[in-house]
Amino acid sequence: MGSRHSAATLRLREFLGRNGYPYTYVDLDSDKTSQELLDRFAVKLEDVPIVICHTGAHCATPRSNSLQNASGSTPALTAQPYEM
């Protein structure tokens, strides 16, 4: 969920599309049900854009790396010595 005028929303939509994540975009500027969704998930306007997962978990103003980690699409890194 986000505004079509927001650079952060555009970044998230491009990331999701580029990486093949299925998603539905809710435009806060034109969608009549957007306020109802914001209220249902107790989202404040300063937290937008927001990604709401199918489980109900949500990430407010996420960056692509935190979105990847939250979705489990990247393996956890472990500290290992660098070898040449």
Side-chain angles (χ1 to χ4, degrees), residues 64-80:
S64 58
N65 60 345
S66 64
L67 189 56
Q68 284 177 318
N69 292 337
S71 69
S73 67
T74 56
L77 297 177
T78 56
Q80 298 199 2

Side-chain angles (χ1 to χ4, degrees), residues 12-39:
L12 284 171
R13 291 182 69 197
E14 287 177 344
F15 170 80
L16 292 169
R18 188 173 54 246
N19 290 287
Y21 287 99
Y23 74 96
T24 300
Y25 169 61
V26 177
D27 185 352
L28 297 178
D29 299 318
S30 63
D31 191 301
K32 305 261 188 254
T33 63
S34 61
Q35 187 59 53
E36 180 183 320
L37 289 169
L38 290 172
D39 293 343

Side-chain angles (χ1 to χ4, degrees), residues 32-53:
K32 305 261 188 254
T33 63
S34 61
Q35 187 59 53
E36 180 183 320
L37 289 169
L38 290 172
D39 293 343
R40 183 184 328 160
F41 290 99
V43 177
K44 299 178 203 135
L45 284 179
E46 59 266 16
D47 293 334
V48 173
I50 187 163
V51 174
I52 301 171
C53 300

